[in-house]
């Protein structure tokens, strides 16, 4: 089974970033690997297309990635720790970094023109006499899809995971998607609904993440209401594998429109600290997988209960 899981996750990673057209290809790949009957929920989405991001320090080009949703110039040393500064906290031009990353990691997107750099380049920015950069973003309208497998009438358990991605996207979240796809034959689909959601990472809605989950909620809120439990599977396979039940933590990671669902929602994930070094970065590829057996055991333990 491991070879099949890693192969499917690798194919999803090859499609990264999975937004727009590549997200559609990812949805088709998932459907091709599902033999069970499925339902496709299609909905409108507005997503960012990053046309250009660049940063120059004393005339030297520094590698960067888009870290904001608004086009504009960057002409200051306004440095932002993207782990400690969340959504909505920065709207002016800035340069963000994740201090725990091995490279460029876009932990948080901001409302202003922001580019992200590697922590190893922070000192160069601080010591520079002149800093200049630019971000160009265009918003695109399109369609996204949630793929529903199992009981769409009265499931006692709803399992949700997302298949879109930013850069790389093997751990976040191709591996978890692939695990669930290849576990479907073991899951009791008469009592369980599995939702493979698109548009979880970024959208024009505020907050920008979990848009696809909220579109499922908008159409199927009665199922979330009646279900005994909701399991959200995200970023398994690296470091410590956990069942996170604390509502305060779950609510920050999983944003529904109605908070009452959070009390019965668990997050099945790797420890946040174990994924920070590759989070939302180009380093999120197959080599980032370290705990396959532990992730598989956790899913079986949580989803295959009698």
């Amino acid at each position: 089974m491991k070879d099949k899981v890693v192969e499917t996750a690798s194919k999803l990673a090859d499609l990264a970033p999975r937004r727009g057209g590549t997200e559609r290809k990812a949805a088709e790949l998932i459907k091709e690997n599902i033999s069970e009957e499925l339902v496709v929920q299609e909905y409108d989405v507005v997503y960012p297309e990053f046309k250009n991001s660049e940063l120059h320090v004393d005339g030297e080009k520094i590698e960067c990635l888009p870290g904001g949703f608004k086009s504009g110039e960057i002409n200051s040393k306004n440095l932002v720790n993207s782990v400690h500064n969340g959504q909505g906290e920065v709207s002016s031009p800035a340069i963000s970094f994740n201090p725990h990353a091995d490279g460029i990691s876009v932990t948080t997107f901001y409302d202003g023109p922001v580019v992200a750099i590697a922590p190893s380049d922070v000192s160069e920015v601080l010591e520079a006499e002149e800093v200049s950069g630019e971000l160009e973003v265009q918003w695109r309208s399109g369609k996204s899809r949630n793929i529903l497998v199992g009981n769409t009438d009265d499931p006692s358990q709803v399992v949700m995971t997302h298949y879109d991605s930013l850069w790389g996207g093997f751990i976040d979240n191709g591996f978890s998607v692939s695990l669930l796809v290849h576990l479907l034959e073991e899951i009791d689909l008469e009592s369980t609904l599995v939702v493979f959601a698109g548009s979880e990472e970024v959208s024009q809605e505020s907050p920008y993440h979990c848009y696809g989950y909220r579109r499922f909620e908008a159409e199927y809120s009665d199922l979330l209401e009646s279900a005994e439990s909701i399991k959200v599977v995200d970023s398994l396979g690296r470091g410590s594998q956990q069942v996170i039940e604390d509502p305060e933590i779950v609510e920050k990671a999983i944003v529904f429109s109605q908070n009452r669902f959070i009390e019965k929602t668990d997050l099945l994930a790797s420890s946040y600290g174990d994924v920070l070094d590759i989070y939302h970065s180009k380093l999120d590829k197959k080599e980032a997988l370290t705990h396959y057996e532990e992730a598989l055991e956790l899913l079986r333990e949580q989803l295959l209960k009698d």
Side-chain angles (χ1 to χ4, degrees), residues 6 19 21 46 49 54 58 81-82 96 118-119 128 145 150 156 211 268 297 303:
V6 173
R19 294 190 304 274
V46 180
E49 183 177 291
E54 58 183 66
D58 287 338
N81 182 324
S82 60
S96 72
R145 294 149 193 82
S156 60
Y211 179 79
L268 313 185
E297 181 181 355
L303 305 185

Side-chain angles (χ1 to χ4, degrees), residues 3-252:
D3 289 344
K4 290 182 179 180
V5 170
V6 173
E7 179 183 8
T8 302
S10 297
K11 288 180 178 179
L12 286 169
D14 288 342
L15 292 171
R18 297 188 291 273
R19 294 190 304 274
T22 49
E23 184 188 289
R24 288 193 294 275
K25 291 180 181 179
E28 291 304 314
L29 175 62
I30 292 167
K31 289 162 61 179
E32 289 170 7
N33 282 275
I34 295 175
S35 58
E36 292 80 4
E37 185 176 352
L38 55 83
V39 174
V40 176
Q41 176 196 12
E42 188 173 85
Y43 49 90
D44 295 325
V45 64
V46 180
Y47 61 92
E49 183 177 291
F50 301 109
K51 306 296 290 185
N52 183 48
S53 60
E54 58 183 66
L55 183 68
H56 293 86
V57 176
D58 287 338
E60 179 184 350
K61 190 171 185 178
I62 299 294
E63 186 178 0
C64 66
L65 288 174
F69 290 146
K70 184 178 180 180
S71 298
E73 295 184 353
I74 302 162
N75 294 304
S76 73
K77 299 180 185 180
N78 183 18
L79 283 161
V80 177
N81 182 324
S82 60
V83 175
H84 294 156
N85 294 270
Q87 292 184 40
E89 294 185 20
V90 176
S91 58
S92 57
I95 302 167
S96 72
F97 68 98
N98 169 1
H100 305 282
D102 291 334
I104 306 172
S105 164
V106 190
T107 311
T108 305
F109 283 90
Y110 298 105
D111 294 332
V114 177
V115 295
I117 63 172
S120 58
D121 289 326
V122 168
S123 60
E124 190 168 351
V125 171
L126 288 172
E127 295 167 5
E129 294 184 5
E130 182 179 355
V131 173
S132 64
E134 181 183 14
L135 177 66
E136 183 181 356
V137 185
Q138 290 186 2
W139 290 89
R140 302 291 190 190
S141 297
K143 297 287 186 180
S144 190
R145 294 149 193 82
N146 292 339
I147 302 167
L148 284 53
V149 186
N151 185 338
T152 56
D153 294 321
D154 55 353
S156 60
Q157 175 178 243
V158 177
V159 182
M160 306 180 74
T161 194
H162 75 90
Y163 63 87
D164 62 317
S165 79
L166 296 169
W167 299 277
F170 186 95
I171 294 296
D172 187 14
N173 192 35
F175 176 66
S176 295
V177 168
S178 184
L179 266 181
L180 281 170
V181 165
H182 293 289
L183 272 177
L184 285 174
E185 62 183 21
E186 299 182 36
I187 295 174
D188 180 8
L189 294 177
E190 291 187 2
S191 63
T192 301
L193 174 61
V194 181
V195 181
F196 300 94
S199 297
E200 189 273 346
E201 294 285 13
V202 289
S203 72
Q204 200 174 42
E205 190 169 277
S206 180
Y208 61 74
H209 69 299
C210 295
Y211 179 79
Y213 291 163
R214 291 194 294 276
R215 297 288 65 73
F216 172 79
E217 177 192 8
E219 187 169 342
Y220 295 96
S221 62
D222 57 326
L223 300 187
L224 294 175
E225 185 76 57
S226 61
E228 295 176 9
S229 68
I230 302 167
K231 310 284 189 184
V232 177
V233 185
D234 200 338
S235 300
L236 287 174
R238 186 171 178 81
S240 174
Q241 308 298 281
Q242 300 183 337
V243 179
I244 302 171
E245 301 175 336
D246 186 336
E248 291 188 9
I249 297 176
V250 174
E251 189 174 6
K252 291 179 181 178

